[in-house]
Amino acid sequence: MEHVLDKRVFNIAYGKKYLSSSDHSDKKVWIAVERLTIEESKYGERISIRLDAIPTDPAFTGLLSVFPMNLACFIPQYH
């Protein structure tokens, strides 16, 4: 079994705009749909993507962004 020296995990998400009810300004919420993992071992680097949901929202433009897992600004879409 391979010994992992370093492991980093990221959310992959798309942005969905909405109108704030408090100040009527445009806001964006990030919808998490995938997870990116980067593992480093003595054999090299492995990058993997786990697809948790397939975006079917009409607001999805095909653009995805990657963010560190410790950010709490996501709505998970795991079904």
Side-chain angles (χ1 to χ4, degrees), residues 10-55:
F10 302 86
N11 277 315
I12 300 177
Y14 71 93
K16 182 175 181 177
K17 291 183 180 181
Y18 68 96
L19 186 62
S20 171
S21 60
S22 61
D23 62 4
H24 303 290
S25 64
D26 286 334
K27 304 282 184 180
K28 186 183 282 189
V29 64
W30 291 97
I31 312 294
V33 293
E34 300 173 13
R35 187 165 296 160
L36 176 110
T37 303
I38 301 172
E39 295 178 333
E40 293 186 34
S41 73
K42 66 180 181 179
Y43 301 109
E45 183 177 77
R46 183 180 99 173
I47 300 171
S48 59
I49 296 175
R50 185 180 82 200
L51 180 63
D52 293 318
I54 298 172

Side-chain angles (χ1 to χ4, degrees), residues 55-75:
T56 58
D57 188 329
F60 179 61
T61 63
L63 180 64
L64 297 168
S65 297
V66 178
F67 298 94
M69 281 293 288
N70 59 357
L71 293 179
C73 61
F74 297 99
I75 299 175

